[in-house]
Amino acid sequence: SYELTQPPSVSVSPGQTASITCSGDKLGGKYVCWYQQKPGQSPVLVIYADTKRPSGIPERFSGSNSGNTATLTVSGTQAVDEADYYCQAWDSSTSSVVFGGGTKLSVL
Amino acid sequence: EVQLVESGGGLVQPGGSLRLSCTASGFTFSDHYMDWVRQAPGKGLEWVGRTRNKANSYTTEYAASVKGRFTISRDDSNNSLSLQMNSLKTEDTAVYYCVRAGISGSRPFDYWGQGTLVTVSS
């Protein structure tokens, strides 16, 4: 089955840039979405189709996807961005949605 | 305003059954694929399954972990989605989210319900 791998945790200082990676075989050939989940809340879509931001999502969130790695970048990270982040893709070979294991972003 | 409201969660014994429901409002339900995603306590997100729209013959897909035990259905006339869960196992304990898949080609999960907790325990 298809797997997406994320680092368990990433730390960043306020105002700095955080990068969260998501790795999978030939991931660059698939569309990747990213979700933010804060404790006790439902996930929120922050990036879709690799690079697109839904309305209402701050411009400091951006995404890229090439080769075997997709990356979520948070520029000028704020304390409010502290959350778990999950990448997601569609695996056409098994007709299933796949999530990465999640990355806890800490703003220290 | 798009709203997805789940109901039906609770405590069930291993081997038992439970039916979850999701009532949708604020959008044209029949246009969208609808999915279920679950999250075990303290764990990550796990996709459960999908029902496509009428234009795609209401076909369904399931995660390997639930295939043959769970069934997703929808009623476009009542804007509702259901998840019938049979032969439940302790590892099915999770918060279950009803999720709308967007219209764009990548079908992002653009709206999520608040979730309903299912606990499988004796």
Side-chain angles (χ1 to χ4, degrees), chain A residues 94-95, chain B residues 48 60-71 89:
Chain A
T94 57
S95 294
Chain B
V48 173
T60 53
E61 308 287 355
Y62 298 94
S65 58
V66 306
K67 197 167 188 177
R69 299 188 299 123
F70 289 12
T71 302
K89 306 174 182 180

Side-chain angles (χ1 to χ4, degrees), chain B residues 38-41 89-96 117-121:
Chain B
R38 68 184 181 183
Q39 187 170 35
K89 306 174 182 180
T90 55
E91 53 263 41
D92 294 320
T93 294
V95 172
Y96 285 73
L117 176 62
V118 172
T119 303
V120 184
S121 175

Side-chain angles (χ1 to χ4, degrees), chain B residues 87-105:
Chain B
S87 303
L88 282 161
K89 306 174 182 180
T90 55
E91 53 263 41
D92 294 320
T93 294
V95 172
Y96 285 73
Y97 294 102
C98 168
V99 184
R100 188 185 90 162
I103 296 292
S104 73

Side-chain angles (χ1 to χ4, degrees), chain B:
Chain B
E1 178 192 6
V2 173
Q3 286 196 322
L4 299 169
V5 180
E6 302 95 338
S7 60
L11 175 63
V12 61
Q13 292 187 339
S17 298
L18 203 61
R19 186 178 183 89
L20 305 184
S21 297
C22 171
T23 300
S25 60
F27 66 101
T28 304
F29 181 78
S30 58
D31 285 347
H32 289 262
Y33 294 8
M34 296 297 298
D35 292 57
W36 289 96
V37 174
R38 68 184 181 183
Q39 187 170 35
K43 302 298 184 182
L45 302 174
E46 180 187 14
W47 178 73
V48 173
R50 159 174 292 179
T51 173
R52 294 183 177 87
N53 55 15
K54 181 178 181 180
N56 290 278
S57 305
Y58 297 125
T59 53
T60 53
E61 308 287 355
Y62 298 94
S65 58
V66 306
K67 197 167 188 177
R69 299 188 299 123
F70 289 12
T71 302
I72 296 173
S73 59
R74 62 189 295 163
D75 180 350
D76 287 355
S77 65
N78 286 311
N79 293 344
S80 66
L81 177 73
S82 296
L83 178 65
Q84 177 66 44
M85 303 184 294
N86 298 330
S87 303
L88 282 161
K89 306 174 182 180
T90 55
E91 53 263 41
D92 294 320
T93 294
V95 172
Y96 285 73
Y97 294 102
C98 168
V99 184
R100 188 185 90 162
I103 296 292
S104 73
S106 65
R107 305 282 179 184
F109 294 152
D110 56 1
Y111 286 93
W112 297 63
Q114 84 287 352
T116 187
L117 176 62
V118 172
T119 303
V120 184
S121 175
S122 55

Side-chain angles (χ1 to χ4, degrees), chain A residues 7-70:
Chain A
S9 62
V10 168
S11 297
V12 64
S13 300
Q16 298 304 302
T17 296
S19 296
I20 300 173
T21 58
C22 174
S23 300
D25 186 47
K26 299 181 178 67
L27 185 58
K30 307 178 188 297
Y31 277 132
V32 173
C33 300
W34 290 91
Y35 303 89
Q36 176 193 70
Q37 186 180 33
K38 297 181 180 180
Q41 298 184 18
S42 300
V44 172
L45 178 69
V46 293
I47 293 289
Y48 69 99
D50 297 340
T51 62
K52 296 178 170 35
R53 269 181 300 104
S55 61
I57 299 301
E59 290 185 9
R60 63 180 181 272
F61 288 90
S62 63
S64 64
N65 184 19
S66 179
N68 294 322
T69 304

